Amino acid sequence: MADFIVLVKQVPDVKQITDNAFDPQTGTLIRTRLPSVINELDTNALAFANYMKRISADKEGKIIVLTMGPPMAEDVLRYCLGRCADIAVLLTDKALGGADTFATANPLAFAVRKIVKQILNSTGDYYIVTGMQSLDGDTAQVPAQIAEELSLPCIAYATNAEFKNNRFELTRIISGGNQLVAAKSTPAVITVAKYEYPVFAAFAQARRANALQIIQWSADDIGAPHIGVAGSKTRVIRVFPPGKSKRSCQRMEDVKKLARTLAQSLKEDSQQSAQDKQTADRYVISKKRKVFYDRSFESTDSEIEDFKILADKLKQLGIERIEQIDEYTKKQILDTAGEHFHINALEDMLTGLESTDSSYQGEVWVVAEHHNNKIHPATFELIGKARSLADSLETKVGVCLPGDSVKPMADDLIAAGADNIYVVADKLLAAFDPAVFRKAVADCVKKHQPQIVLFAATPRMRMLAPMVSYRLRCGLTADCTGLDIRDSTRKGQIGILLQTRPALGGNVMATICTKDSKSQMATARPGVMKSLTPDPSRKGKIIEHSLDLSADDMSLEILKTEHSTGRVDFAADIIVSGGKGMQNRDNYESLVGSLCQTLTEKLKVKVERGASRAAVERGFIDRVHQVGQTGTSVGPKIYIALGISGAIQHMIGIANSKTIIAVNRDPVAPIFKNCDYYIVGNVEEIIPKLIQNL
Ligand SMILES: Cc1cc2nc3c(=O)[nH]c(=O)nc-3n(C[C@H](O)[C@H](O)[C@H](O)COP(=O)(O)OP(=O)(O)OC[C@H]3O[C@@H](n4cnc5c(N)ncnc54)[C@H](O)[C@@H]3O)c2cc1C
């Protein structure tokens, strides 16, 4: 009998975020200004578990919902009990608060162990079902880390299940297609990317839900070793509002003007994409700085300011070496700069100044991703970034290249800027099984101890990175859009990696650093970092890393892989994408099709069709045309989005486009806040007019 443990989370309702929901000083979200709701993808997970139960052999399994949060998180458990859950467990304790994903996965895994022992009588036939990611954190790390803690197979991005041959076979999304897989053993973790058949609250069930008692456990009850802020492997340095979109977001009323602008944008091809404008403020290692108190590379502006004031004082006092600072010097500093910092802060700063060596040693690494013997473009982007980080830190760029017969790809990695290629080759790495890959990569990282390990935030790597980092007890920051080397001198941390990422659906930005870890790890958003122009004359070293892998390491049986058969040329100058707003396949075909044809004929450029995931799932066009997080990242001269709302997972994939033009009938469609030109209107009216004017 299969039982189901569904993990749910209470999140602020980011769809209702208003400008006054943020503290204007700190940019942080004032939680009380927003209603809390159940994370949407977790409702999908609940419905998915219910569906799995219904199609299972005996249909008798229990559905147990588990959440970790404040006492008010009981609401989401009642929501689940009112639908199809049988039992609810609330893990609540102040000591669990402020946790990062590592210190969230750890207690949740321990709570699962306790559920299995005490409620499921130690059965081995259960599934942990979760939403792929939560709307607030958006990291997608916790489910994979729970799988790692419990040594379970993890099937990510599931969209459907069938019960066949006395087991569950799951359909899941992979880049450019679908895959049918089965876990080689149970229990297993399943993360749901989408399931559109919600369970509604029935009257009788809802009444029962209110009467049911929720099991409440504290941190002591589960005995997890890594909890709360203390158990976390990352630390938030600052939270700030995202800068206004660097795109012009210009509304156009006149289709004729839009047609003209479109043609002009193509000619100009000038504006760098918004993401291009990353600052290249190169870090200098502290030993190379002229004076010991030069601390111009602190993590926050206020720290830079404080150290500037301190530097001025030390200069005025003629101090040239740290040993010259005595109690009298400190008094002199405080007498004149006392309004800026307190004695304790001064002591911390002076102690920090004694640290000159980097807090981390070793190379800067990228874990390579490849499909069909071709390196994924996001790997080259990361090598570009790794090169500049490594040059700042005066170290080398290493690439971990796991797979079967992957050595021939090493030259491309060296040409892209890498120095050392760590090849982990094994037949068992021919197809992507997260359990085998994480063993291979973790073993290689453990042996060579790089100080930084970067993964692309692609579906595959967002699964692999949390497993590797959890296994090695290292911090991991998801989906970074900024990576810089800085100091946190006051905390004695020198040459650390600052990892900046959007959170709360892109409504805030957070800068995070790693703590209590041997390596600093991050996944970085594809399309944001810049690859270098390949230099085939570059020389590098290939280092073979061998390890024992056996069939027992495999966690999945891959039953069928369907890659879209269609061919697509996303290197085109213009991509015209249709979304759910195209309504149906015929509309997509006639509107997107005819606009593509007109653009090709009139502007004499290459034009390709794209689509949102919603459009692909409705069968408007083949999956190979999907743009976005689980599709392809594109960077054409002009991206035209028709009837696409602008969900973050879509926008990630078009960030590198030089000009973005959007047509949407909703005047407050999110895409309008992140495009260059837009028209509010119905695609059925606007597109024929645009074609006419072109
Ligand atoms: C883990 C994960 C990965 C994902 N990966 C991707 C991905 O790779 N790519 C992707 O695109 N999505 C992805 N998604 C899904 C994403 O969250 C959105 O659901 C999806 O992008 C929405 O597609 P859409 O904009 O076409 O549909 P909707 O969000 O439904 O928007 C349709 C838009 O059309 C407009 N509209 C309707 N009718 C008309 C009309 N007649 N004329 C003009 N406008 C009209 C509406 O105003 C609306 O704004 C992912 C989600 C998850 C959870």
Side-chain angles (χ1 to χ4, degrees), residues 41 132-133 157 173 193 578-583 611-615 626-632 642-650 663-666 669-670 681-684:
L41 273 175
M132 184 63 217
Q133 58 205 53
Y157 295 99
I173 301 172
K580 197 168 113 190
M582 304 310 293
Q583 317 292 349
S612 71
R613 189 170 108 180
Q626 183 184 318
V627 172
Q629 185 186 324
T630 41
T632 306
L642 307 175
I644 291 178
S645 59
I648 183 73
Q649 296 88 356
H650 189 82
V663 180
N664 197 304
R665 69 177 176 195
D666 175 5
N682 196 318
V683 281
E684 281 141 344

